[in-house]
Amino acid sequence: CMNNSFPASYAWGNFSVLAVGIWAIVQRDSLDAIVMFLTGLLLTVLTDIIHISVYYPLHSYLIDAKRFSMGMAIFSLLLKPGSCYFVYQMYRERGGE
């Protein structure tokens, strides 16, 4: 479904940030992991905006699979600022400035 709408860089970027997020959750005492996760989330917000704006298909070419894929990408983008807030709170709890 995603291969029809976005290039592979969209999936690689988001899945690599997910992997860093899992690492940040598992390593509770690591401040570097949470900083990398927060930085990755902020970068994927920017790249998601670029991907959605460049690869959003014209209305006449919008089939159901692409509509669903784009809807989930937009929904993910809308949830990321909240995720950044909670990750920043985790950063503060772990002793960040």
Side-chain angles (χ1 to χ4, degrees), residues 48-62:
D48 286 356
I49 291 170
I50 293 169
H51 277 109
I52 291 170
S53 63
V54 170
Y55 292 102
Y56 196 83
L58 297 174
H59 183 65
S60 59
Y61 298 110
L62 198 60

Side-chain angles (χ1 to χ4, degrees), residues 10-43:
Y10 177 80
W12 277 105
N14 283 305
F15 288 138
S16 61
V17 169
L18 177 67
V20 172
I22 292 171
W23 172 51
I25 291 171
V26 170
Q27 294 240 331
R28 289 216 155 293
D29 57 343
S30 175
L31 195 61
D32 293 336
I34 202 75
V35 170
M36 286 179 61
F37 184 42
L38 184 59
T39 305
L41 275 175
L42 292 172
L43 284 175

